[in-house]
């Protein structure tokens, strides 16, 4: 399956499936609500993997973000989709997949006017090895500590994806 025929699951406000649409056509200035996921990958030392989106990405090219994101295929269990996408995007196998923000949802518009509008459960996972990212997805990557990541996001929020900024805010509030 190629990017052009990859389907995303359209959902209502409660997350109930409404149908599907081709991924290549769903992200626009009027993006319908759809299902996605986001994952924060940690290594054995507790560092978190951050990635810089490839400069060829349709949305938020070149910004730093969490380890990876994706869309489950219609009927695909979300945990299976997370593991599949980790291999496709980062060449990375995962274990210890844990939901950390199961109800996360956001809507954001990038500088080109393209909208992301997602119900996007967030997971934490442990990396089995080092990443070998696809250059179509990632142009840079770095292991960092959670504290250094939070400091960088506060210092230069424009350099990071809006979903990462929102996730970090919600995770910080959840830990209070």
């Amino acid at each position: 399956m190629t990017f052009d025929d990859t389907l995303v699951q359209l959902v209502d406000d409660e997350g109930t499936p409404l149908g599907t649409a081709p991924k290549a056509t769903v992200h626009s200035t009027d993006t319908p609500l759809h299902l996605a996921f986001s994952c924060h990958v940690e290594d054995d030392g507790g560092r978190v993997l951050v990635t810089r989106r490839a400069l060829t990405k349709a949305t938020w090219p070149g910004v730093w973000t969490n380890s990876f994101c994706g869309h489950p295929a219609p009927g695909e269990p979300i945990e299976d989709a997370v593991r599949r996408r980790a291999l496709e995007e980062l060449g990375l196998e995962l274990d210890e997949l844990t939901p950390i923000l199961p109800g996360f949802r956001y809507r954001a518009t990038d500088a080109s006017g393209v909208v992301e509008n997602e119900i996007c459960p967030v997971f934490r996972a442990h990396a089995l090895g080092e990443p070998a990212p696809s250059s179509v997805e990632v142009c840079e990557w770095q292991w960092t500590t959670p504290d250094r990541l939070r400091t960088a996001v506060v210092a230069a929020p424009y350099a990071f994806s809006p979903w990462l900024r929102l996730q970090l805010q919600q995770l910080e509030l959840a830990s209070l």
Side-chain angles (χ1 to χ4, degrees):
M1 185 173 279
T2 65
F3 174 81
D4 292 333
D5 57 10
T6 299
L7 297 176
V8 297
Q9 297 177 57
L10 304 179
V11 295
D12 66 15
D13 283 335
E14 288 74 45
T16 305
L18 297 174
T20 62
K23 181 179 177 184
T25 63
V26 78
H27 295 94
S28 67
T29 56
D30 190 29
T31 302
L33 184 61
H34 59 280
L35 184 60
F37 59 82
S38 197
C39 189
H40 296 256
V41 177
E42 297 176 342
D43 69 3
D44 291 336
R47 297 178 303 171
V48 64
L49 178 66
V50 292
T51 59
R52 185 170 173 225
R53 293 170 59 83
L55 298 176
T56 54
K57 297 291 278 183
T59 58
W60 284 274
V63 302
W64 285 92
T65 193
N66 56 290
S67 306
F68 68 98
C69 298
H71 302 87
E76 180 182 29
I78 201 158
E79 293 84 1
D80 293 351
V82 172
R83 292 180 189 285
R84 172 184 52 79
R85 192 70 185 141
L87 281 171
E88 291 172 355
E89 188 165 328
L90 298 173
L92 195 58
E93 289 190 43
L94 306 174
D95 68 4
E96 300 179 29
L97 191 61
T98 306
I100 56 173
L101 290 173
F104 183 72
R105 177 178 174 171
Y106 76 101
R107 185 178 191 283
T109 306
D110 82 356
S112 72
V114 174
V115 174
E116 280 287 12
N117 186 18
E118 298 178 336
I119 291 179
C120 184
V122 181
F123 295 84
R124 177 179 293 124
H126 178 261
L128 297 173
E130 285 293 313
S134 162
S135 62
V136 173
E137 301 291 342
V138 174
C139 64
E140 293 182 71
W141 60 274
Q142 181 73 48
W143 291 108
T144 190
T145 66
D147 285 342
R148 287 183 68 198
L149 176 58
R150 282 189 292 275
T151 298
V153 169
V154 168
Y158 52 83
F160 295 89
S161 70
W163 58 90
L164 173 61
R165 295 190 316 256
L166 291 168
Q167 289 168 11
L168 292 178
Q169 287 172 1
Q170 289 185 24
L171 288 167
E172 191 168 311
L173 289 174
S175 68
L176 294 178

